[in-house]
Amino acid sequence: MNTNSFRLPARRLAATAAATALAAGPAALAGAGTAHATTDHGRASAVVLRTGLDVSLLNKTVDVPLAVSLNEVQAPQSAQKTALTAQLDGVDGGRPFSVLRADVATAKATVSADKAEGSTSLAHAAVHVPGLPLLSVIEVEQVTSKATCEAGKKPVATANLLGSVTVLGKKVTLSAGGPTEVKVPGVGEVRLDLSKTRTTTRTAAASALELKISINPLKLNVAEVEGTLTLAGATCEAPSAPAEPADPAADVKPQGAPAEANLAETGGSSTTPYIAAGAAALLATGAGVVVLARRRRG
């Protein structure tokens, strides 16, 4: 009587333990597969003009770096600038020197949770350097650039040159297939690269024009200018795409489903860990039942 009344709860206890062990497997997988969205909202930048020039005065006895940027903006915080002139002090007899003048000069950078974008637009613009106050290094009718990076999508970079281009007083035709070189005797030379773009899996960059400049008017060494100049540049980096949470049900095989090929050779399947856990619980519970039974009999 006592033995029968003891064994029945023990069997129930063992069944409960086995069921708990079998249920614990899918629950553990569900917890391990939970994904969390990131908070990276991406980045964007834009600039109408950027120079990296070195100005040598008086036969290189005085060197003045000509590092000028016009309407340079950066985001995470969205921003926009529309200044039409860029000036430099200290290279023209103490007077302000105008590096760029334009009718339109806009740079914009925006960032949201799912997209980052930089864009620039420049119209009817002329760029000057010291030593050539009356002759423009370059004049353009209109140039634009845009870099767009959306989360989970391929970034896009575009740059366009519209209308005519004049370099050192000469109208030129630019080619996207390679650089264009303009040489003017007694003035200098300019090498132009048109519409340079590049993209990666998450970033994009575009510049409408990149110039390499070497100016030495009449070889008098009054003002020698060398370096680079970029018109209409834009960059972006995409926000991180939110990760989708894993579906735990997809990893749980229904009862009676055929075993996977790689587990069939060893006699195992995807439910093997759960069965093993249940068996271990049954053995532990059974051992406890036997010990208690023997004590009661003693």
Side-chain angles (χ1 to χ4, degrees), residues 6-7 10 282-298:
F6 176 79
R7 286 179 180 174
L282 287 172
L283 288 175
T285 305
V289 170
V290 171
V291 172
L292 291 175
R294 288 179 176 175
R295 290 179 177 176
R296 293 178 65 86
R297 289 177 181 176

Side-chain angles (χ1 to χ4, degrees), residues 27-66:
L29 286 179
T34 302
H36 299 280
T38 66
T39 57
D40 183 4
H41 285 182
R43 297 171 182 81
S45 69
V47 63
V48 168
L49 166 75
R50 180 183 291 115
T51 67
L53 302 173
D54 183 69
V55 181
S56 299
L57 305 178
L58 302 176
N59 199 20
K60 294 190 175 183
T61 57
V62 179
D63 289 333
V64 179
L66 182 59

Side-chain angles (χ1 to χ4, degrees), residues 209-224:
L209 282 172
E210 291 189 1
L211 290 72
K212 185 175 181 180
I213 299 171
S214 179
I215 303 295
N216 189 354
L218 301 179
K219 300 294 183 180
L220 297 178
N221 293 317
V222 174
E224 184 174 349

